[in-house]
Each structure stands twice: as structure tokens, then as C-alpha cells.
Amino acid sequence: MKSAEIREAFLRFFEEKGHTRVASSSLIPANDPTLLFTNAGMNQFKDCFLGLEKRAYTRATTSQKCVRAGGKHNDLENVGYTARHHTFFEMLGNFSFGDYFKRDAITFAWEFLTSDKWLSLPKEKLWVTVYASDDEAYDIWTKEVGVPAERMVRIGDNKGAPYASDNFWAMGDTGPCGPCTEIFFDHGDHIWGGPPGSPEEDGDRYIEIWNNVFMQFNRTADGVMHPLPAPSVDTGMGLERISAVLQHVNSNYEIDLFQSLLNAAAQAIGCGSNEGQASLKVVADHIRSCGFLIADGVTPSNEGRGYVLRRIVRRACRHGNKLGAKGSFFHKIVAALVAEMGDAFSELKTQQAHIERVLKTEEEQFAKTLEQGLRILEQDLADLQGSVIPGEVIFKLYDTYGFPMDLTGDIARERELTLDEEGFEREMQAQRERARSASAFGLDYNSLVKVEGETRFTGYLGTSGSGKVLALFKEGMAVQSLSAGEEGVVVLDQTPFYAESGGQVGDCGYLSADGLRFDVRDTSKAGGAFLHHGILDSGSLQVGATVEATVDASVRQSTALNHSATHLLHAALRQILGEHVSQKGSLVDSQRLRFDFSHFEAIKPEQLKVLEDKVNAEIRGNTAVEIEETDIETAKSKGAMALFGEKYGDQVRVLTMGGGFSVELCGGTHVKRTGDIGLFKIISEGGVAAGVRRIEAVTGEQALAYLNTAEEQLKEAASLVKGSRDNVLDKLGAILERNRQLEKELEQLKAKAASATGNDLASSAVEVKGVKTLAARVDGLDGKALLALVDQLKNKLGSGVILLGGVQDEKVVLVAGVTQDLTGRLKAGDLMRQAAAVVGGKGGGRPDMAQGGGSDANRLDEALAIAAAFVEQGV
Ligand code: SER
């Protein structure tokens, strides 16, 4: 059976068992700061397990895109060297949200795997593990399904802490978790390995194919296991592993899906498809994670998700280089990926060109990084005392220039140097600590969100209204009351406050009742609850109290102008630059709007003007903004743009502006008519990552203020050049021209002065055994200027040996030159090595010209004296 057929059979089987087929979610988890990438099928249902979100169904089945690189469940370093580690893989899953539990989960899995109608696997080849204390699951397997006890294994807390077990699954340090039962396939005794729980379990004979997790707890950061509102089921089966079983191969890399990727990789690199197997597997694996991550909106960068992507691309490039790739090759494999997986994941097809360009740019940049790193390393080696490259140098190269440590190691070996690996590790550790304290991915999302019930949002219709306090929190802990002066979080049953989402910031304002005022500084969402963050100014606030909620309407209105203008800008960008433009992020507050989108080159000033004009024309058109609630399919059929990383419910809100000029799915708050925006002004355009541009703009009063400031600055500039608004440009032009002339004159004067110095110096040359020898101190010139001077002196002397040295920024700079007629006997490089050693440094170069330096300025005269002795001995 082909992988695609297995995927389809799985989804169909569970549909027949009453499950709703749900599309894979984005690799960028929506609204979940605890997670770097989607790493399991259950991620998109996290809130359903926690009881925070209700869906129209209680049974679901998916084929989920997963990336396990960086964060918990990180497989990156193993990829290529084992038969089944991947950075990207597909997880087939079935889920129950408080519907069925252990019995059905187990019998469904068994039926799908063994029944003749489905996968028809031989029962005697299947082994099962259960959590040691889970008698219920053990009994279902042995008594009801009939798995013999000799193929059942109980596994306890085998990883050194309570609940740390191969048979206890957790999404992360916090969040939903529970005991699990795993199904293993025995690939046969021709492969080494033992059953799960045995000392040989790490072999490749017995392979876990399906994990059924019985979700029972929510673990919070304090380690407490809170029972979930309803026990649930989360299962996961790696598509690649089950394909290997059904295609009678042991390694995932031998399945149909990987064959074409391995071939395409070999072709792009220009090697045989069997060469350096591990490296080829790395490349074939990495093209999947890179392709899918870029399609989901990640771009290579130096932090967070972008940094992980960058590391994966670079790892692929290095392995390609190992196999002899010349120039960029990685992006050439994208076409094969699209051919293989584009039918199941259409985003690959629509984003193919974007993925290729991002990868190509990143490859080219990495090639430059390598070159630059090599240069920096050369400089550091020139100053090196001893034979060990210090940890800080290796770390600087690695961290700042992206220069991998193994490459530094290769170069060190060539020069008989060694690496201070411990020092490097120390720097890495310090870096990790800095990253951990700065990272948002460790937030304890759950400590705040144990909120019963949901908040109803009333803020589309107005900016005030009453609500009942459902819950209060202080420092992340639920409390019954807040008193004056305390900071905290208030949850209401209904609120007009917009909670931050879709790029629009949360509302601010206040909650009030008799003698009570709570200042709301921000509003965010946790599951279905809206959290009002702020401080209680006066009075005391209890759970159950009724308060009047008042949003700061003018801030909300300014934000609305920016949000609506963002939609117009998005539509205008697609009209002017092309349909490839898609939103990669946005931020809308009351001061300005920021819009990131995919596009590969800087936008020309004239294009920016057209964009601005188009948006302003829509504003002047003053059409009504239409809002319609409908289901997602109808919305898409109307051409509504859905945004990456957003999680849409069953009902969506479609926002139409300019009678169809812009149609977008959006939950934000907007203006009533486009004319309300008043004026739109772009204030900057630039690149934020490869293939992603950013536009910042202002609207309404802010736009007017921006133009007024510009007007003031123009007036000030005019008065500085003693001109007026009308002739300021001419005046500035004249000043610049004068400046250019003065610079030219200065250059000529400098050249004259240098030539005079040259004449003076030339006359101080002495004869040593018939060779004109000139050694002189010239302070304050850098290496380049000294080189020019030595060149000049060579011409003046006609034949001779020159050594110039000086102190520049407390460092000694040395340049030596020998005229061609003498280089057979006297080499500038040799002279330099001797002279530089005197000032505690290094140097070298060609026989006719050499450079060097050192740090001991007190011994410069001694170094210069070397010249005469050198000629004396050499002639
Ligand atoms: N969440 C579990 C896993 O990833 C089962 O899907 O193994």
C-alpha cells in the first residue's frame, strides 16, 4: 500500500466510526506560547481536552503535519543516522473529547491494524505496552482483544521521576497528559533488537507504530496533576513508520514517499543516490521540514522558530557540501517535494515559488557566512598566542557568523591547532541560560486559564455594558476577591472589551460599580475566557459581582482605523505586486499599523506611492464596511482571504470593504465606513527576513500629525540653509556640490603631503652591504596607507629593502617591501616574521610585500632595527 493510500484508509476508517475528518493545523501553533512547533496531532485540540473549547463534534481524526526540532521532543541531531528519526513527519490520529475512552480506543486500533478489510497485519507480530499500573488497559488487551500475556509488557516510571515513563505521554512540561498504551510491530528475527522493556529494546526489530494516550490530567507548572473535566483519547501513528511495515521495509527512508526525495536530492547535489547515505537522508528529510515550515510562514532568522529553520537549512547545506554539491542545490529539491506531497497538502503547491526563493536566498547567504567566518578566523589566528583556539573565538564564530564548530575544528586540524571545547561549552551554556530567561516559550499558560465557562463578546455592537465576575486571579492564582491597590485579572461572563488576537491589541478602559474602579490595561484570551488585566484603583471586587465595563472608545476607534486600513493595504498589495503576497504577521494598535508579507524585493518608491494612492482612493470612496457571519466553506468560495496560523471556528466573520475591493476573514473591530479612516500614510518599508517585507503606516489623526511634523522639519531645514520651502532643495544641492569640491581639494593636499614624507624617508635609506635599506617609524597610519607608502618608496629607491612601522590605536602596524630584483635573496615575508615577533605578534606575506603587527609598542624601534641585520645576514 502506498503512503497516500494508508493516509486515506486511516481517515476513512475513523470516519466510519463517527469521527469528523479535520484538516491538519499549521505547524505554527495558534495562540499557544508554550509550543515552538506543532509536534503532535493533539496540539490543535489542546483546549478541547482542557474543557476550554467546545466543538461541534466529540470525535475527530486527522493527518497532522508535525515538526520535532527544537523544544521538547527534539530529534534534529539524530536525523540521518537512524532508520526513523525525522524533523518532519505526518501523524495519523483519532481523538475523543470526553466521548469514548480506553475500551473503544483499543478496539478501534486493533480492528484497523488487523482486520482484513483494513491493514490486515498478522496479529502475532504485534506487541503491546501499557503503563505499569494501568490494569484496566491491560485487561482490555488480554481479556477482550485476546493479546497473549507473553506479548504484553507493563512499563513503569522508567525515566527517573514520577510519571516520567515511555508509557506516560505529555505534550510539554505543562498541559494535557496521561498514561498510554503503545503498539509495536516485530520486523522479524533477521533484524537485531529486543521487545520493549528489554535491554535490547533500542534495536530496530521491535518498532513502536501507534501510541494511544488516555488523556486524564492537566499538569501545571507547579507539577500538580489536575484531572481533566472529562477523560479523553489522543492517538498518534507515524505515517512513515506504518508505511514501512506495509511496504515490508525496515527503514522509513525506504518507503515510496522517500524514494523520490532521495533521488531528487542526489540529482540536485550531483552524486549517486547511494553515496554517503546518512548525508543524503539528512537532505531528503530536511527538505520536508523546511518546505512545510516556510509554507506555514516561518522564515530563517536569528531567533525563535526562524532560528530553528535556519539551523535545519544549514545542516542540509553542510551535508550536501559533504557529498560534493557545488553552489546552491537545496532549493532544487522543492519540486520533488511538491510532486510527492502537494496533493495532500495544497499549501506546498501554492507556495512552491516562495519556498524555493527563501531557500535559495538562505543557501547563498550561508555560503557568504562561511566565507566571512573564514576571514574572521584568519584574523583571530594571526593574533593567536599558543596552539589552542579559545572557546570565546569558537563561540563568536558560531553565534555571530553562524560558523559551525565542526568546521572550525577542521581548520584547526589543518594548522595543528586544537579547540578549547570546554570553553565553547561554557559559552554555549551561558547563551542557553540567556535564551531561557528571554524566551516566551516557557510561559505558564495553564496557571491562568483554569476558568470555568466562557466570556461572551459584546463589543462589536458597542463599547460599554455590564457583566458578572466569573473569576479573579492574582499572580496567576485564582482568588475570591481583589482589594484596592492590587493588580490582577478579571474574567466576566460578557464583555465589550476586545481581547488581543489577529494582530489587533486588546482593549483598555475600566470596570466600575458603586465605589469601585478597576483600570483595564490590556485584554487577552485564554481558551474561551477573556482576561481583563489591570489594577483595582478603589473599592473591592468579588467573584459574582456585577460591574459596568467601559472600553476607552477613542483608543478603540483609532485602533479600528488602523485595522481597517490594514485590510485595504493587503488588498492593494495583492493588486499591485501580485497574488503571491500573503500576510506573514501584523500588529495593529491605536498609534500605527505594521504589516508583514511575503515579497522578494524592496518595494520601489513609485510603487509605494501607487499603493498609498490606491488605499486613499478607497478611503475617499467612503463605502460601508459589510460584515457577514457564515461558515468557512461559503466564506472561502467568496474569495475571502484566510490568514496563516489563525484558528477559525465553525462560524467565521467575513469583512468586505470597498464593495469587494477587500474580502477577509477577521474577528477584529473595524470602522463603519472606509471614509472614517481619513488619511493613510506609509512611514516605512523594509525587509524583516528573507522574502518578507514590512510596511508601517499611520492613519487618521496620526497621519495628519506625521505630515505636520514633516512640514515643520522641512521649514527648519530651509532656515538652516537660509532658504525657503520653495528653494530648499536648490540650496542643499549647492552646499553638497561645494562639499564635494572641498573633499577633492583635501585629497590632493593629502597626496602631496604623503609624497613629501616619501621623499624625506627615501633620503634616510642607508647602504647595507650594497643594498639600500630603509627602516622608519611612521605613526598614525593604518595598514593600507603604510602599504601605499612602501609601494611609493620602492619606486623611489629603485632597488632596496623597506620596513615601515607605526602605532595606530595602541597596536603596532608593520609593512615590509623588497624590490623585485632582490626577492631571490631577501624575502619581505621572512623579514616581517622576524620583525613582528619582536613586538609580540605575527605577520607574513609575499616575497615583495608583507604585513604584520603586534601589541608591544615599546619594542617597535627594536623591531625596525631588524631590517639592517636581516639584510646583513641575507646578502
Ligand atoms: N500525542 C501522542 C504522541 O505524540 C499520541 O498522539 O505520541
Side-chain angles (χ1 to χ4, degrees):
M1 243 173 139
K2 288 190 163 255
S3 309
E5 290 162 357
I6 299 169
R7 181 194 295 123
E8 182 54 29
F10 182 93
L11 297 171
R12 222 164 359 93
F13 172 82
F14 281 101
E15 276 179 329
E16 285 183 15
K17 302 285 182 199
H19 293 62
T20 299
R21 189 190 289 222
V22 178
S24 168
S25 66
S26 163
L27 283 169
I28 303 169
N31 295 332
D32 190 344
T34 63
L35 204 57
L36 194 58
F37 296 121
T38 298
N39 63 11
M42 53 73 64
N43 294 164
Q44 66 166 314
F45 302 117
K46 178 178 169 184
D47 284 347
C48 302
F49 290 122
L50 292 173
L52 296 168
E53 187 187 334
K54 289 258 170 309
R55 303 226 177 168
Y57 43 81
T58 53
R59 297 177 177 205
T61 181
T62 60
S63 177
Q64 175 67 46
K65 310 181 270 193
C66 297
V67 163
R68 290 191 176 174
K72 194 177 162 85
H73 302 296
N74 178 10
D75 291 336
L76 182 59
E77 302 307 325
N78 290 325
V79 173
Y81 301 100
T82 68
R84 56 207 116 244
H85 279 104
H86 299 294
T87 49
F88 171 94
F89 65 98
E90 249 181 283
M91 192 183 271
L92 303 168
N94 56 289
F95 307 91
S96 145
F97 314 118
D99 185 322
Y100 61 85
F101 199 44
K102 296 187 184 181
R103 174 164 293 103
D104 283 342
I106 290 173
T107 49
F108 286 159
W110 193 253
E111 182 184 346
F112 181 67
L113 290 177
T114 61
S115 125
D116 288 346
K117 185 169 166 215
W118 300 99
L119 299 193
S120 185
L121 291 182
K123 293 181 183 153
E124 65 284 2
K125 289 200 160 265
L126 299 175
W127 286 62
V128 173
T129 62
V130 295
Y131 190 49
S133 57
D134 193 351
D135 292 335
E136 189 187 349
Y138 188 90
D139 287 347
I140 298 172
W141 279 116
T142 49
K143 298 191 182 135
E144 299 180 33
V145 177
V147 176
E150 58 272 21
R151 289 208 304 277
M152 292 289 307
V153 185
R154 286 180 190 256
I155 294 188
D157 294 339
N158 58 348
K159 292 182 170 172
Y163 303 116
S165 163
D166 285 330
N167 278 68
F168 195 94
W169 198 87
M171 173 182 134
D173 296 334
T174 61
C177 54
C180 59
T181 176
E182 298 188 321
I183 305 170
F184 284 68
F185 182 80
D186 176 1
H187 276 262
D189 58 10
H190 58 293
I191 294 169
W192 181 82
S198 73
E200 299 83 30
E201 66 176 1
D202 287 337
D204 280 332
R205 176 169 169 187
Y206 297 86
I207 297 302
E208 179 219 326
I209 51 170
W210 200 341
N211 186 9
N212 286 252
V213 185
F214 308 123
M215 287 294 188
Q216 272 170 290
F217 306 104
N218 175 23
R219 180 159 51 192
T220 43
D222 49 13
V224 177
M225 310 284 262
H226 307 270
L228 289 179
S232 299
V233 169
D234 149 35
T235 90
M237 172 152 67
L239 175 64
E240 298 77 5
R241 289 183 179 204
I242 190 68
S243 300
V245 168
L246 290 164
Q247 293 171 18
H248 310 291
V249 292
N250 182 250
S251 161
N252 288 2
Y253 289 94
E254 292 173 55
I255 66 174
D256 56 338
L257 205 158
F258 265 106
Q259 286 313 303
S260 61
L261 292 180
L262 286 164
N263 285 334
Q267 206 174 0
I269 292 169
C271 66
S273 51
N274 257 328
E275 256 175 73
Q277 269 301 304
S279 288
L280 208 56
K281 284 186 211 160
V282 169
V283 175
D285 169 274
H286 288 10
I287 194 64
R288 298 211 304 164
S289 49
C290 294
F292 276 98
L293 282 173
I294 296 168
D296 277 351
V298 185
T299 41
S301 74
N302 280 336
E303 55 188 24
R305 299 182 172 118
Y307 185 57
V308 179
L309 171 61
R310 170 159 286 169
R311 279 180 55 206
I312 306 177
V313 177
R314 291 183 169 190
R315 194 165 184 264
C317 290
R318 284 202 298 113
H319 282 275
N321 291 344
K322 264 192 180 172
L323 294 175
K326 303 262 174 296
S328 337
F329 67 93
F330 196 43
H331 64 282
K332 296 184 187 150
I333 314 170
V334 175
L337 173 67
V338 176
E340 196 60 49
M341 303 190 72
D343 286 341
F345 298 95
S346 63
E347 64 271 34
L348 288 178
K349 283 189 182 162
T350 53
Q351 303 251 33
Q352 178 173 350
H354 176 65
I355 302 168
E356 286 170 341
R357 295 181 87 163
V358 170
L359 287 179
K360 184 154 185 280
T361 309
E362 183 64 12
E363 287 183 81
E364 286 164 359
Q365 155 135 13
F366 184 48
K368 276 198 212 123
T369 298
L370 281 179
E371 213 177 281
Q372 189 185 18
L374 271 173
R375 253 203 322 273
I376 305 283
L377 182 59
E378 289 299 342
Q379 278 164 17
D380 283 326
L381 291 185
D383 290 342
L384 186 69
Q385 322 265 356
S387 64
V388 183
I389 305 184
E392 300 97 81
V393 172
I394 314 170
F395 180 74
K396 177 184 75 179
L397 283 166
Y398 166 79
D399 192 46
T400 317
Y401 302 102
F403 204 72
M405 168 151 114
D406 45 6
L407 246 178
T408 314
D410 285 346
I411 294 163
R413 261 191 304 282
E414 283 162 19
R415 303 181 187 209
E416 295 180 4
L417 298 171
T418 53
L419 300 187
D420 170 15
E421 290 189 25
E422 262 176 40
F424 174 75
E425 248 324 301
R426 259 198 313 279
E427 298 284 333
M428 280 297 280
Q429 192 51 33
Q431 159 91 327
R432 275 195 282 270
E433 250 131 61
R434 284 195 297 275
R436 215 189 333 270
S437 56
S439 164
F441 294 115
L443 283 186
D444 182 22
Y445 178 92
N446 297 304
S447 65
L448 275 175
V449 299
K450 289 293 308 162
V451 186
E452 299 294 334
E454 297 200 348
T455 305
R456 200 165 67 80
F457 179 58
T458 59
Y460 289 134
L461 302 173
T463 51
S464 61
S466 66
K468 200 168 124 215
V469 178
L470 287 183
L472 292 170
F473 295 91
K474 203 173 99 184
E475 289 166 7
M477 305 293 289
V479 289
Q480 282 306 305
S481 67
L482 286 177
S483 35
E486 285 184 334
E487 281 188 30
V489 169
V490 182
V491 181
L492 301 176
D493 63 344
Q494 55 174 12
T495 184
F497 279 75
Y498 181 80
E500 180 195 342
S501 68
Q504 180 180 331
V505 296
D507 275 336
C508 55
Y510 62 92
L511 310 177
S512 59
D514 261 356
L516 171 153
R517 184 180 159 112
F518 181 89
D519 265 332
V520 180
R521 294 179 178 163
D522 194 8
T523 312
S524 67
K525 237 188 246 182
F530 282 40
L531 313 179
H532 304 80
H533 302 258
I535 183 164
L536 190 62
D537 267 353
S538 55
S540 83
L541 186 56
Q542 269 82 28
V543 171
T546 299
V547 292
E548 184 65 19
T550 313
V551 174
D552 185 325
S554 75
V555 173
R556 156 82 75 88
Q557 179 65 5
S558 302
T559 308
L561 303 191
N562 284 332
H563 200 159
S564 301
T566 306
H567 284 217
L568 293 178
L569 172 64
H570 190 182
L573 279 166
R574 287 170 68 94
Q575 281 191 14
I576 291 162
L577 301 180
E579 296 285 305
H580 63 279
V581 168
S582 70
Q583 175 165 344
K584 295 290 175 214
S586 81
L587 177 70
V588 175
D589 62 23
S590 59
Q591 301 298 307
R592 73 204 160 118
L593 65 96
R594 192 175 85 193
F595 188 70
D596 296 347
F597 55 97
S598 50
H599 184 57
F600 246 86
E601 54 202 7
I603 303 177
K604 298 184 194 77
E606 53 277 19
Q607 286 177 311
L608 281 179
K609 174 143 194 333
V610 178
L611 267 173
E612 218 174 70
D613 287 349
K614 220 176 201 6
V615 173
N616 279 314
E618 284 305 318
I619 292 173
R620 285 193 306 277
N622 197 23
T623 47
V625 174
E626 296 154 36
I627 292 168
E628 186 193 355
E629 296 245 339
T630 176
D631 61 278
I632 182 100
E633 290 314 322
T634 316
K636 283 192 178 160
S637 70
K638 292 188 171 179
M641 282 186 282
L643 304 185
F644 92 90
E646 276 302 313
K647 200 154 105 178
Y648 295 106
D650 303 328
Q651 282 288 301
V652 292
R653 211 163 160 257
V654 182
L655 206 100
T656 306
M657 298 172 81
F661 177 78
S662 148
V663 187
E664 262 189 56
L665 298 186
C666 183
T669 58
H670 285 270
V671 298
K672 294 206 161 47
R673 305 187 75 86
T674 55
D676 299 346
I677 301 170
L679 179 63
F680 170 80
K681 182 77 204 148
I682 293 176
I683 57 173
S684 73
E685 189 277 336
V688 276
V692 180
R693 310 296 302 176
R694 167 172 295 174
I695 284 184
E696 290 187 302
V698 283
T699 60
E701 279 179 30
Q702 308 289 349
L704 200 59
Y706 178 83
L707 292 177
N708 283 337
T709 309
E711 173 87 25
E712 283 303 315
Q713 285 167 340
L714 182 63
K715 276 193 200 146
E716 235 170 83
S719 93
L720 282 176
V721 296
K722 309 223 172 351
S724 66
R725 200 179 186 284
D726 296 329
N727 67 7
V728 59
L729 289 183
D730 293 342
K731 290 258 178 192
L732 271 175
I735 290 174
L736 286 175
E737 182 49 38
R738 175 92 189 108
N739 204 30
R740 260 193 295 277
Q741 272 172 15
L742 290 174
E743 270 173 5
K744 220 158 129 192
E745 278 171 28
L746 188 63
E747 279 301 313
Q748 284 163 357
L749 285 172
K750 271 193 189 162
K752 265 192 199 155
S755 151
T757 314
N759 285 337
D760 289 353
L761 286 176
S763 62
S764 65
V766 294
E767 295 259 340
V768 178
K769 286 202 176 163
V771 174
K772 281 189 223 158
T773 307
L774 168 56
R777 177 166 179 155
V778 190
D779 284 327
L781 294 188
D782 61 10
K784 208 169 133 210
L786 274 185
L787 272 174
L789 198 52
V790 168
D791 238 356
Q792 213 185 88
L793 286 165
K794 282 208 275 185
N795 284 336
K796 284 211 162 85
L797 295 181
S799 167
V801 172
I802 301 153
L803 176 64
L804 297 186
V807 179
Q808 156 103 359
D809 299 333
E810 292 172 28
K811 284 212 157 164
V812 177
V813 194
L814 289 167
V815 175
V818 175
T819 50
Q820 284 301 347
D821 56 324
L822 299 175
T823 51
R825 290 177 287 158
L826 299 164
K827 296 198 171 20
D830 295 342
L831 168 56
M832 182 50 67
R833 257 184 294 283
Q834 292 181 22
V838 177
V839 288
K842 288 197 165 171
R846 307 189 313 250
D848 62 335
M849 193 61 107
Q851 280 195 85
S855 51
D856 192 353
N858 290 331
R859 299 186 62 194
L860 174 56
D861 291 339
E862 234 178 282
L864 292 171
I866 294 278
F870 173 78
V871 176
E872 175 93 41
Q873 282 165 15
V875 182

